[in-house]
C-alpha cells in the first residue's frame, strides 16, 4: 500500500512539474511577444496629424464623420510606413483603440493567412502571432469588404483579446471608434455591430456582387449583433471585419464590424466596385 501511494505521489509531482513547465514556457513566449510590440510601438516614428483626433467623434456613433479640410496643408501619413517596412516588410497599416492594449501594426502575407498566425512582424515564431490583413484584400484598403485577424487569449488582453469587450453595450457606447492608419489614408472605423459566427459556415463575404448583397449582409450583422447601434451604413461604404476566436462553441469567432470613414489621405483606385 505504501509503495502504491509513493507511486501516486511521484506521478502527481511529475505531472505538476510538466504542467508548470508548459505554463511557464507559455508565459515566457507571451512576455517575449509583449516586449516585442512594446518596443515596436516605442520605436515607431509618428508625424503631426492633419486632422484633430476626436473632431466629429463625440462618443455618439450615429454622427456622420467627414474628411478633414486640407486646403492649406497637404495630407501626409501619420506614421513613417517606409521606415517600418524597411525593418518589418509586410506592414500595411496600424490599428489603434484609444486607451486600450490594441495598438498594433497590421501585417499582410502575400499568399496566405497562416503565416502571421504564429509569427511576429520580424518573422520570429511566436504563438501570439500578429494582427494581419487578409492576403486576398488589397493592401491600400480599397476593397469594400476587408478582413483583419488577430488571436484571442482567455487569460490576457493580448492581440485582439480586448475585442471581447464589444460584446458589452456600455463598452461599445464608450468606444464606438477604432482608428486605422495606412500609407494612403487615416481612417475612423465606426463600429456598427459585434456578433458571433462559425469560422467556416457563416464567414462574411469577401465580395458583394451588388447592393442587395451588401444590404443583406448589413442586416445579418445588425440582426445578430450583441450590441445595438444606430450607425447608418450605405452602399458604397467600406466594411471592415475584425475577426478573433471565442470559446462559446466549436470554431466560434467574434466579428466586430464597422464602416471605414476616411479622415484624410490620397486617392487610391477602388479595386472591387459595387454594381447595382
Amino acid at each position: 500500500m505504501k509503495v502504491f501511494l509513493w507511486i501516486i505521489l511521484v506521478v502527481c509531482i511529475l505531472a505538476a512539474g510538466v504542467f508548470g513547465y508548459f505554463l511557464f514556457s507559455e508565459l515566457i513566449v507571451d512576455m517575449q511577444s509583449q516586449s516585442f510590440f512594446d518596443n515596436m510601438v516605442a520605436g515607431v516614428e509618428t508625424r503631426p496629424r492633419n486632422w484633430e483626433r476626436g473632431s466629429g467623434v463625440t462618443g455618439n456613433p450615429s454622427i456622420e464623420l467627414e474628411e478633414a479640410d486640407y486646403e492649406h496643408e497637404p495630407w501626409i501619413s501619420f506614421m513613417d510606413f517606409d521606415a517600418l517596412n524597411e525593418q518589418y516588410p509586410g506592414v500595411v497599416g496600424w490599428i489603434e483603440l484609444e486607451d486600450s492594449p490594441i495598438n498594433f501594426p497590421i501585417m499582410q502575407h502575400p499568399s496566405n493567412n497562416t503565416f502571421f498566425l504564429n509569427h511576429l512582424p520580424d518573422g520570429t515564431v511566436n504563438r501570439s502571432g500578429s494582427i494581419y490583413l487578409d492576403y486576398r484584400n488589397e493592401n491600400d484598403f480599397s476593397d469594400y469588404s476587408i478582413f483583419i485577424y488577430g488571436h484571442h487569449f482567455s487569460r490576457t488582453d493580448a492581440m485582439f483579446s480586448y475585442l471581447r469587450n464589444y460584446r458589452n453595450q456600455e463598452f461599445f457606447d464608450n468606444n464606438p471608434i477604432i482608428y486605422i492608419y495606412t500609407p494612403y489614408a487615416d481612417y475612423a472605423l465606426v463600429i456598427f455591430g459585434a456578433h458571433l459566427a462559425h469560422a467556416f459556415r457563416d464567414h462574411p463575404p469577401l465580395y458583394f456582387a451588388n447592393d442587395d448583397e451588401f444590404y443583406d449582409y448589413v442586416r445579418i450583422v445588425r440582426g445578430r449583433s450583441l450590441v445595438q447601434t444606430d450607425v447608418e451604413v450605405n452602399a458604397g461604404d467600406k466594411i471592415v471585419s475584425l475577426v478573433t476566436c471565442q470559446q462559446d462553441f466549436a470554431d466560434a469567432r467574434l466579428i466586430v464590424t464597422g464602416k471605414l470613414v476616411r479622415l484624410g489621405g490620397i486617392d487610391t483606385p477602388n479595386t472591387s466596385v459595387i454594381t447595382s
Side-chain angles (χ1 to χ4, degrees):
M1 186 65 178
K2 290 184 178 180
V3 173
F4 176 75
L5 291 176
W6 274 108
I7 292 175
I8 295 297
L9 179 60
V10 170
V11 170
C12 290
I13 292 174
L14 289 174
V18 170
F19 176 79
Y21 170 78
F22 283 110
L23 180 61
F24 181 74
S25 298
E26 286 190 356
L27 289 174
I28 291 296
V29 170
D30 291 346
M31 290 172 59
Q32 289 172 340
S33 170
Q34 188 62 52
S35 177
F36 173 88
F37 284 110
D38 286 346
N39 290 333
M40 191 172 181
V41 169
V44 68
E45 181 180 345
T46 60
R47 301 147 171 170
R49 291 183 180 87
N50 295 90
W51 51 274
E52 182 181 353
R53 179 180 295 207
S55 58
V57 184
T58 63
N60 185 343
S62 66
I63 293 177
E64 286 296 316
L65 304 176
E66 296 182 357
E67 186 169 352
D69 180 6
Y70 299 112
E71 180 179 351
H72 303 295
E73 185 178 4
W75 179 86
I76 58 172
S77 174
F78 170 55
M79 293 185 170
D80 188 346
F81 284 100
D82 289 336
L84 276 171
N85 267 282
E86 285 183 8
Q87 193 167 0
Y88 311 104
V91 178
V92 296
W94 198 281
I95 185 168
E96 180 186 15
L97 173 59
E98 289 187 286
D99 301 320
S100 89
I102 297 179
N103 188 19
F104 295 110
I106 303 173
M107 309 301 296
Q108 186 183 42
H109 192 274
S111 62
N112 66 70
N113 285 331
T114 57
F115 181 82
F116 284 115
L117 278 173
N118 57 4
H119 287 82
L120 300 177
D122 65 350
T124 301
V125 176
N126 187 290
R127 75 170 190 138
S128 296
S130 301
I131 304 302
Y132 62 96
L133 179 71
D134 195 300
Y135 81 97
R136 296 167 295 179
N137 281 132
E138 296 295 327
N139 64 9
D140 62 359
F141 288 71
S142 58
D143 293 304
Y144 284 99
S145 185
I146 298 167
F147 298 94
I148 302 175
Y149 306 96
H151 278 306
H152 171 269
F153 300 106
S154 59
R155 294 191 298 269
T156 73
D157 286 331
M159 309 315 293
F160 267 179
S161 301
Y162 199 75
L163 290 180
R164 70 169 80 93
N165 291 292
Y166 277 103
R167 302 175 61 153
N168 177 275
Q169 185 69 45
E170 183 179 359
F171 179 86
F172 161 76
D173 291 340
N174 292 322
N175 299 273
I177 304 292
I178 296 176
Y179 293 100
I180 294 179
Y181 313 112
T182 80
Y184 308 99
D186 295 336
Y187 297 99
L189 181 62
V190 186
I191 307 302
F192 67 87
H195 71 282
L196 293 172
H198 190 279
F200 307 109
R201 289 199 297 267
D202 51 359
H203 196 276
L206 186 62
Y207 304 103
F208 301 108
N210 49 51
D211 290 352
D212 289 338
E213 283 193 6
F214 176 87
Y215 283 118
D216 283 344
Y217 181 65
V218 171
R219 280 191 287 270
I220 289 173
V221 171
R222 292 194 189 280
R224 295 181 179 178
S225 181
L226 302 168
V227 295
Q228 302 304 310
T229 169
D230 57 356
V231 172
E232 183 178 344
V233 183
N234 298 304
D237 286 334
K238 296 177 181 180
I239 302 299
V240 176
S241 301
L242 306 179
V243 184
T244 191
C245 295
Q246 297 287 274
Q247 297 177 336
D248 296 73
F249 50 85
D251 297 317
R253 299 291 185 270
L254 175 66
I255 303 178
V256 176
T257 310
K259 70 173 184 178
L260 205 59
V261 178
R262 192 171 83 157
L263 299 172
I266 58 177
D267 293 330
T268 58
N270 289 324
T271 56
S272 55
V273 178
I274 297 178
T275 57
S276 302

